[in-house]
Structure formats: C-alpha cells, structure tokens
Amino acid sequence: MCGRFAITLPPDAMAQLFEARPDNDLPDVPNYNVCPTDPVHVIRAEDGARRLVAMRWGLVPRWYKAPNDGPPLFNARAETVAEKPAFREAARARRCLIPASGFYEWTKDETGARLPWYIRAKDGAPLAFAGLWQDWTRDGESLRSCTIVTCAAAGEITAIHHRMPVIVARADWAKWLGEAGHGAATLMRPAPEGSLVLHRVGSAVNSNRAAGPDLIAPNSA
C-alpha cells in the first residue's frame, strides 16, 4: 500500500517536468507528510493537453451519498482495478499521474512499535505514481478525487512491505495518460530492481500532523 508520501517539487517545476498547464489552486509545497484526504497534485490529460490540478487523495465513488460515506479509497490494487466497481471505469478512461518526492512504509519492532521508512528514487528524480481519478456530485456538492495504484512489492521494498505504489517511468507517461494508444495495463508492475533506495526515519511521521524536512532525515534508532 501507499498511505503517506512527500512532495517537495514546486508547482512550476512540476508543470515543466510533466509539460502540463498548472491550475491556480494547487496545494502548498513542500509537504513532507501527505496523508489520505489531503489535496494532492495530479497530472491528467484533457482535450489533447496535460493539466496540473488539485484533487482529494482518496477516491470517492459516484454512489457515495457523501465524501465520508465509506472508507477513503486511497489505494487501488493493480490486480483488481479492472474488476472493482469503484475503479474499473476510471482504469479505462480516467488515469492520471501523481508526483511525489518519496513515500513512507512501516515495519514493526519486537515490541510492536511502528518503524517508518522513507523510499525515493536512487537518482533523486521525482516519482510519478500511477493514479485514477473520479468526479463525484451530489445535491449541489462536487468533488474531484484520486487514488494511487499499487502492485506487489519487488526488489529492496520486499524487506519492509509486500506492496508498493506503481511508479510510471517517464517514457511511459503518455501511455498511462492515454495519449499514446493502448497498453496501460502492462505498466502496472513494480519499479525496476535497484531504482529505489530506502532508509529509516524518525517516529515523528507516525503522526499525520507532523511536518517539516526532518521527517525524511535518516534515523538509525
């Protein structure tokens, strides 16, 4: 799964990297502790162009009576997105990219205490998570939300967790966004072995209220 991540890239740099036109109401950055239900940066294709927009992290299906009518669907399993009613239409027609600088996962020590880890690209480049998005409208209220697609972990990630976000390589962005024909399903796989690095960080990030660059600083304790 992917339940927390960090984004430090300024919006203008994101727009340039993804060749997208930025909206004006984008979330503040840097944010070292992005949590489910927070607004996040999303790249989607629209009328032959890319846009950098804000969406709620935690997909809200159309049949929810309110955004909190069910659990926040912040992850979608790659193995079942084509079948699950909440995701299957979006998997065909509403795919997006969600930029991140890195993400967190947790292990437990012998006492059951949660030990956080920070994972990022080995070369320091931003990550692009595979995402799906959805419009929700009810009684005059509307919301645009998204979810991060996950797959079975591979390589170095297996030492700490059995799942990981699908990370789309730059060469495949157009295919995932639907700009370059079919075959997006083939991209729902783990990142190449050796492309990610990870280190232990302090327990402060266990709180969804924690903030600041110290959250991603190495901590061997």
Side-chain angles (χ1 to χ4, degrees), residues 77-79 81-82 91 130 149-151 166 176 183-190:
R77 294 175 65 93
E79 297 89 344
V81 289
V149 181
T150 68
C151 62
V166 172
W176 181 256
T186 65
L187 305 178
M188 293 190 288
R189 58 179 184 264

Side-chain angles (χ1 to χ4, degrees), residues 78-91:
E79 297 89 344
T80 57
V81 289
E83 306 164 8
K84 295 288 186 180
F87 305 127
R88 62 191 178 199
E89 185 180 337

Side-chain angles (χ1 to χ4, degrees), residues 8-9 22 32 35 40 44 73 76 79 89-90 97 120 133 135 138 145 148 153 155 166 174 180 189 215:
T8 62
L9 201 64
Y32 294 90
C35 304
V40 296
R44 66 186 183 95
L73 303 179
E79 297 89 344
E89 185 180 337
L97 297 168
R120 60 173 179 84
W133 65 273
D135 278 331
R138 179 77 58 130
S145 60
I148 293 172
V166 172
R189 58 179 184 264
L215 296 181

